[in-house]
């Protein structure tokens, strides 16, 4: 599943769809648009505009106004495992984001799971081969903790250390902190030299502060370089891999129900 850096990139692309009159909406994919029946999202949005694109953790949503300029419903956009936000201008050219990724097989029309057509001829599409993305009105954000990019050091310490669970499990709990996924957790813990299975409530304040600083660094690097897959330790997370910092063998196990890699020397 895309993590915070990838979703932030998608949010920036979605900003290219703001302040454009919505001419029509294809919301006929009943699975991606559940629980809304076909036409319900279109009825709520056509004639209006998207006015702001927000993100908390891995969750995105847009504010809207209706055709009369009054506040409209919130539109939730979730990428799922491999969904992409694609916005085009009146000439059909992609705007926002980097170069378009080539597909290994010819595109199928049904991979555009949701389409919003603008009066200027442009479009916003949720492109998703695996059909795991989600579009819905008035998404529930109440179960999300503070965004991992915005949380303060003090709040981070309190939230992480509140449980005896493994520290990696705490990082992955979206109700504790929103936005950290498996790769980002491994990268952050490796940078901080903390064992992923360490009980969170046994970490010293200095360790929690080090973890916080390295989460900030990991996020900043991933956003700047195109995603969590660009992390320093990520390419070494495989059998026979070695720590890029000290050369020790990388270890593998399951922590918090997730596949986990750590340095056998520096993360004991």
């Amino acid at each position: 599943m895309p993590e915070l850096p990838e979703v932030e990139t998608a949010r920036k692309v979605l900003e290219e769809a703001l302040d454009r009159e919505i001419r029509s909406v294809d919301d006929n994919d009943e699975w991606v648009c559940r629980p809304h029946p076909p036409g319900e999202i279109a009825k709520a949005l056509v004639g209006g505009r998207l006015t702001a694109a927000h993100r908390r953790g891995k969750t995105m949503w847009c504010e809207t106004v209706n055709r009369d300029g009054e506040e409209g419903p919130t539109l939730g956009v979730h990428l799922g495992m491999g969904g992409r936000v694609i916005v085009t201008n009146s000439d059909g050219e992609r705007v926002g984001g980097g170069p378009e990724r080539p597909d290994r097989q010819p595109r199928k029309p049904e991979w555009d799971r949701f389409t919003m057509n603008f009066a200027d001829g442009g479009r916003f599409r949720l492109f998703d081969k695996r059909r795991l993305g989600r579009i819905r009105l008035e998404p529930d954000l109440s179960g999300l903790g503070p965004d991992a990019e915005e949380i303060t050091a003090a709040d981070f310490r309190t939230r992480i250390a509140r449980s005896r669970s493994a520290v990696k499990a705490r990082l992955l709990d979206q109700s504790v902190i929103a936005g950290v996924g498996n790769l980002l957790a491994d990268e952050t813990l490796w940078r901080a030299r903390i064992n992923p299975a360490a009980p969170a409530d046994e970490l010293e304040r200095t360790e929690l502060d080090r973890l916080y600083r390295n989460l900030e660094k990991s996020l900043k690097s991933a956003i700047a370089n195109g995603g969590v897959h660009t992390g320093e330790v990520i390419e070494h997370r495989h059998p026979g891999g070695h720590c890029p910092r000290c050369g020790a063998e990388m270890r593998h196990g399951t922590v918090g129900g997730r596949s986990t890699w750590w340095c056998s020397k520096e993360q004991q």
Side-chain angles (χ1 to χ4, degrees):
M1 176 181 291
E3 302 188 31
L4 186 156
E6 288 81 6
V7 178
E8 174 60 16
T9 297
R11 188 198 66 78
K12 291 177 180 177
V13 173
L14 195 49
E15 286 186 328
E16 299 290 342
L18 302 182
D19 300 316
R20 300 164 72 175
E21 181 185 344
I22 301 168
R23 177 63 56 80
S24 64
V25 171
D26 180 352
D27 60 355
N28 289 312
D29 190 313
E30 296 183 66
W31 178 249
V32 170
C33 296
R34 66 191 189 279
H36 308 291
E40 183 173 22
I41 297 177
K43 182 179 180 180
L45 299 179
V46 169
R49 299 172 185 268
L50 306 179
T51 58
H54 302 285
R55 178 193 55 73
R56 186 189 302 175
K58 308 173 188 180
T59 300
M60 288 186 294
W61 69 96
C62 290
E63 296 176 24
T64 73
V65 295
N66 62 24
R67 65 179 70 241
D68 297 319
E70 300 170 339
E71 182 177 342
T74 299
L75 178 69
V77 181
H78 197 285
L79 299 178
M81 291 293 290
R84 296 183 232 163
V85 167
I86 299 173
V87 178
T88 56
N89 60 22
S90 57
D91 295 322
E93 300 168 333
R94 290 175 73 249
V95 289
E100 188 169 9
R101 293 182 295 180
D103 291 298
R104 295 180 181 178
Q105 59 189 116
R107 291 194 177 192
K108 299 179 180 179
E110 59 266 31
W111 290 345
D112 290 333
R113 306 297 179 181
F114 176 87
T115 301
M116 182 179 291
N117 298 296
F118 301 113
D120 63 12
R123 288 181 175 181
F124 150 46
R125 296 180 287 136
L126 176 64
F127 176 83
D128 186 7
K129 293 182 183 180
R130 301 181 66 180
R131 207 185 181 201
L132 298 174
R134 188 84 182 272
I135 299 285
R136 67 173 303 172
L137 299 175
E138 306 295 354
D140 182 9
L141 307 176
S142 62
L144 295 176
D147 185 80
E149 196 178 15
E150 298 178 356
I151 190 171
T152 65
D155 197 14
F156 179 87
R157 287 194 301 269
T158 300
R159 286 175 170 272
I160 292 296
R162 195 177 282 162
S163 169
R164 285 196 56 79
S165 299
V167 62
K168 179 174 179 178
R170 294 298 285 172
L171 286 172
L172 293 176
D173 188 335
Q174 301 302 297
S175 69
V176 177
I177 302 173
V180 180
N182 202 42
L183 295 185
L184 183 58
D186 277 4
E187 174 75 11
T188 299
L189 289 161
W190 173 80
R191 284 179 179 243
R193 295 176 169 86
I194 293 174
N195 189 293
D201 66 347
E202 293 182 10
L203 294 177
E204 302 288 342
R205 174 168 177 158
T206 55
E207 293 175 303
L208 289 166
D209 285 341
R210 189 165 74 244
L211 187 62
Y212 174 77
R213 291 194 303 272
N214 282 283
L215 175 58
E216 285 190 312
K217 291 177 182 177
S218 298
L219 282 170
K220 184 176 180 180
S221 175
I223 291 171
N225 294 310
V228 293
H229 64 283
T230 62
E232 291 182 50
V233 80
I234 302 306
E235 64 178 300
H236 304 277
R237 297 166 72 258
H238 59 79
H242 291 81
C243 174
R245 191 166 46 214
C246 73
E249 182 181 359
M250 294 294 292
R251 294 278 171 81
H252 178 255
T254 300
V255 178
R258 302 297 298 275
S259 176
T260 302
W261 293 85
W262 66 95
C263 173
S264 60
K265 179 180 179 180
E266 297 182 327
Q267 293 175 269
Q268 292 183 9

